[in-house]
Amino acid sequence: DQQVKQNSPSLSVQEGRISILNCDYTNSMFDYFLWYKKYPAEGPTFLISISSIKDKNEDGRFTVFLNKSAKHLSLHIVPSQPGDSAVYFCASHGWGTSGTYKYIFGTGTRLKVLA
Amino acid sequence: NAGVTQTPKSRILKIGQSMTLQCAQDMNHNYMYWYRQDPGMGLKLIYYSVGAGITDKGEVPNGYNVSRSTTEDFPLRLELAAPSQTSVYFCASSTSRGGEGYGYTFGSGTRLTVV
């Protein structure tokens, strides 16, 4: 069973410091890895992605790192701002071991940035 | 540009009732999806469509039906509501199956409670 795991359900960080959100995956055949951000009463919104052939992608305050040997993905937010408080989902997609295309979401990490 | 529009925003159903969750997108995306999110869980794929007239089952299709008569609309039908269908439902769309790393565009969700 292909899985994407976010083992930390919540994280609190002081404003201005770095937030690090983590994600582990099981299927080495995934093509892309993505992070979504979700505010209450809204749908998830796409934040940043990384191809499986890269190990880092930056977009402003957000950087995603991919460690393929460890099957680990992380999102760094620097500096963290109160408006970053939200639930963050990691996701990945690619061909599953059963030959079907999979797009799988993690369970989410609730980030709270303290002013 | 409205993106993905879902109606209603919330609904309370009695066991055995039926209803249709509406979803419309104005981005001319071929791919559309229905997900459900239960508390503390990731998004689970119910059904998806690769274009008008073509639909397929996702991970958790039981108790639901879909149709795709136009590119814009992708309604989700619940025929005999059960308490297990209490969830938040999200519709999404994309230009391709895996979003090519750019992610899906989600609607704001429909909160359904079955009592």
Side-chain angles (χ1 to χ4, degrees):
Chain A
D1 184 30
Q2 294 95 72
Q3 290 187 349
V4 175
K5 294 179 181 179
Q6 293 179 259
N7 293 317
S8 298
S10 64
L11 174 68
S12 292
V13 172
Q14 287 291 332
E15 181 180 5
R17 305 294 293 268
I18 184 172
S19 295
I20 300 176
L21 295 96
N22 295 302
C23 182
D24 297 303
Y25 62 94
T26 58
N27 186 352
S28 59
M29 294 178 67
F30 285 150
D31 298 319
Y32 281 95
F33 302 86
L34 307 92
W35 286 94
Y36 287 83
K37 178 178 178 179
K38 184 184 179 304
Y39 292 118
E42 296 183 10
T45 55
F46 168 72
L47 187 59
I48 190 170
S49 66
I50 186 168
S51 164
S52 60
I53 63 173
K54 296 184 177 181
D55 54 20
K56 179 182 175 181
N57 188 28
E58 288 181 81
D59 184 2
R61 297 186 296 113
F62 302 90
T63 302
V64 57
F65 295 92
L66 179 61
N67 182 333
K68 290 183 284 294
S69 61
K71 296 182 182 176
H72 181 78
L73 180 72
S74 63
L75 174 68
H76 292 208
I77 306 173
V78 183
S80 301
Q81 299 174 354
D84 296 329
S85 297
V87 177
Y88 290 80
F89 292 95
C90 66
S92 58
H93 61 83
W95 290 100
T97 54
S98 60
T100 56
Y101 201 85
K102 298 284 187 182
Y103 197 121
I104 300 175
F105 288 85
T107 53
T109 296
R110 183 179 301 277
L111 173 66
K112 187 172 184 178
V113 179
L114 306 170
Chain B
N1 194 353
V4 177
T5 302
Q6 289 184 240
T7 56
K9 290 192 181 302
S10 66
R11 182 80 179 266
I12 298 174
L13 276 183
K14 293 184 178 178
I15 294 172
Q17 286 186 320
S18 62
M19 78 165 292
T20 299
L21 283 67
Q22 301 291 345
C23 176
Q25 54 95 5
D26 62 359
M27 298 169 287
N28 202 32
H29 285 172
N30 286 326
Y31 293 78
M32 295 188 74
Y33 316 87
W34 274 105
Y35 285 89
R36 61 177 286 174
Q37 185 190 12
D38 299 325
M41 305 293 288
L43 295 160
K44 298 293 185 184
L45 182 64
I46 305 172
Y47 270 95
Y48 68 98
S49 170
V50 301
I54 307 171
T55 63
D56 207 348
K57 296 177 180 179
E59 302 172 72
V60 290
N62 291 343
Y64 308 94
N65 278 299
V66 294
S67 60
R68 184 97 181 269
S69 58
T70 66
T71 299
E72 294 77 20
D73 300 300
F74 190 40
L76 177 71
R77 179 81 177 165
L78 284 72
E79 290 295 348
L80 291 170
S84 61
Q85 293 177 306
T86 294
S87 189
V88 180
Y89 292 82
F90 291 102
C91 179
S93 70
S94 69
T95 56
S96 67
R97 176 69 175 94
E100 293 184 337
Y102 291 102
Y104 292 169
T105 300
F106 282 87
S108 58
T110 294
R111 182 175 295 275
L112 177 67
T113 303
V114 181
V115 296

